[in-house]
Amino acid sequence: MTGHELIDLMLQSHRRVHLTGTPENGVIAALDLEGRLFTVVNGRVLNRVVPSAIVNRSNRNAYLNPGGDALWPAPEGTCFGYEYGSGQWRVPPAITGAVWEVVEESENKTVIRAEIDLVNNRQVGIPCEFERHIEIELHGKSLIQHVTEIIRYIGGRTLEKGEFSLAPWSLCQFDSGQGSKVIMPPTSAEDIRDMYESSLSKRGMSGDKYVVDTHTDFRFQLGLGENVSWIEFISGNDYRVKRYAGNLPPGQRYIDIADTDPEQFPSDDGVKLSIYCDPSGFMEIEACGGCPDTLIPGTELSVRITTEYVVDTGNSSFVSDRGFLQSAVHHL
């Protein structure tokens, strides 16, 4: 899909968008789709795009995942998570219905913000502002994207350790098929763990890199500790994407983000980076910020995430999706 095609689809679906850079090389922010970001390099949108989830709307019966790069609150499960407030897994309507606004913009820089009132699995309400500070750099065949992810606590009461857990969490999605993989530096057993069933059959050392096969017939997710400096997704086609997470602000620590039983307490296994692979044909390279022991009104939880997108422009396999998109929009 091209950047122009994605913008057209958003507008025809009555979704507000904001562009940092150009439709050929830039970042498309979907202001009515959870503030998700879609990165375009040499005219091509590299993030996963699900047109039907843009044309249609999520509701209590179905969550429609449009792809892109989302800012969510961590953790997902445990008693302090945000996806089981109603007893069953769901993306809260405070996230799916958030109104994102552009609050600052200049050449190659944008800040978007939304108010999102969180309710954790213990029914504790945590009023917040979510912010994404987006900056891009162009370097030939590559685009470097810096996003400072911020969750700002705007509640009126101080929350103590034992009442909450909260961290900014960026989930960056890509289509993943045969030949797709993630590489990272060699890592110790203490810095890598499975969050669902064992994925040992899908990962291991190859030469001087640790390699994860992202083409899978079962769901798995790896939580990576603070000693893992980067992860890189290599598409089976013609691009690669590398992510780094910056240092945490003083007084904040990595937390357990796992999708585990909402009745149990989180573990002490903090996650800096994560890899999620789904049998439906997509994957995520994720990056996390940290959490303080005490949440004082006005506290900002932040992390600066750098994502490098590199495309092989000599590959001629890319074709436009315009015919399919026109069909999808026709059924609005």
Side-chain angles (χ1 to χ4, degrees):
M1 180 182 294
T2 70
H4 288 285
E5 288 170 347
L6 179 56
I7 291 171
D8 288 348
L9 178 62
M10 296 276 191
L11 295 177
Q12 292 181 61
S13 303
H14 308 290
R15 308 283 198 178
R16 293 172 304 131
V17 297
H18 183 272
L19 180 64
T20 305
T22 70
E24 289 74 31
N25 291 285
V27 175
I28 299 168
L31 301 175
D32 295 322
L33 284 167
E34 304 170 26
R36 289 176 180 248
L37 310 179
F38 296 83
T39 300
V40 191
V41 184
N42 293 321
R44 177 184 179 184
V45 181
L46 297 188
N47 294 102
R48 180 178 189 243
V49 179
V50 183
S52 61
I54 297 173
V55 172
N56 299 295
R57 301 298 198 265
S58 293
N59 56 40
R60 66 179 302 170
N61 298 314
Y63 173 64
L64 305 180
N65 189 332
D69 175 354
L71 170 59
W72 273 13
E76 184 170 1
T78 78
C79 62
F80 297 133
Y82 300 97
E83 266 65 54
Y84 291 92
S86 63
Q88 301 294 320
W89 187 93
R90 68 166 185 164
V91 180
I95 291 177
T96 60
V99 178
W100 287 83
E101 303 282 359
V102 177
V103 295
E104 293 180 31
E105 60 178 314
S106 60
E107 185 178 7
N108 293 335
K109 294 183 181 180
T110 303
V111 179
I112 61 174
R113 179 190 299 151
E115 286 191 80
I116 298 177
D117 289 349
L118 301 173
V119 179
N120 72 19
N121 296 335
R122 284 195 156 186
Q123 310 297 289
V124 174
I126 306 178
C128 296
E129 288 179 337
F130 283 35
E131 273 186 11
R132 314 193 78 179
H133 294 237
I134 305 151
E135 304 174 44
I136 62 171
E137 304 172 16
L138 299 177
H139 300 277
K141 297 180 181 180
S142 69
L143 183 148
I144 300 177
Q145 172 184 299
H146 305 285
V147 180
T148 301
E149 308 281 26
I150 297 173
I151 297 179
R152 182 181 300 109
Y153 176 50
I154 59 173
R157 181 173 75 88
T158 295
L159 300 179
E160 302 292 345
K161 186 176 182 179
E163 293 185 272
F164 79 100
S165 184
L166 178 61
W169 178 19
S170 170
L171 305 90
C172 195
Q173 293 187 4
F174 301 93
D175 293 318
S176 179
Q178 193 72 41
S180 298
K181 60 187 177 182
V182 169
I183 62 172
M184 57 184 165
T187 184
S188 68
E190 291 75 23
D191 271 312
I192 184 168
R193 69 182 178 103
D194 282 301
M195 295 186 178
Y196 296 110
E197 62 183 285
S198 172
S199 64
L200 286 174
S201 64
K202 307 297 293 185
R203 56 186 173 93
M205 288 295 299
S206 178
D208 63 347
K209 296 291 187 296
Y210 199 92
V211 178
V212 180
D213 180 1
T214 62
H215 182 57
T216 181
D217 58 1
F218 65 95
R219 179 180 67 165
F220 69 91
Q221 183 175 7
L222 300 174
L224 307 175
E226 60 183 318
N227 294 319
V228 180
S229 55
W230 54 267
I231 52 178
E232 183 173 15
F233 173 66
I234 300 176
S235 168
N237 296 317
D238 54 4
Y239 68 91
R240 51 191 174 88
V241 185
K242 191 172 186 178
R243 294 202 107 182
Y244 309 80
N247 295 329
L248 297 182
Q252 297 184 18
R253 54 183 166 75
Y254 294 111
I255 63 170
D256 181 6
I257 69 169
D259 179 15
T260 51
D261 188 335
E263 296 297 323
Q264 75 178 48
F265 272 78
S267 73
D268 293 327
D269 297 318
V271 175
K272 176 183 178 182
L273 299 165
S274 179
I275 302 163
Y276 174 79
C277 299
D278 196 274
S280 65
F282 79 94
M283 64 83 61
E284 296 172 345
I285 48 176
E286 306 174 355
C288 299
C291 179
D293 288 340
T294 303
L295 199 58
I296 300 169
T299 299
E300 290 189 354
L301 315 176
S302 67
V303 61
R304 180 176 170 87
I305 299 167
T306 296
T307 309
E308 300 176 359
Y309 292 82
V310 181
V311 172
D312 175 10
T313 55
N315 190 306
S316 60
S317 63
F318 171 51
V319 295
S320 169
D321 295 319
R322 181 167 294 279
F324 173 73
L325 296 182
Q326 288 175 337
S327 175
V329 173
H330 178 71
H331 291 92
L332 278 172

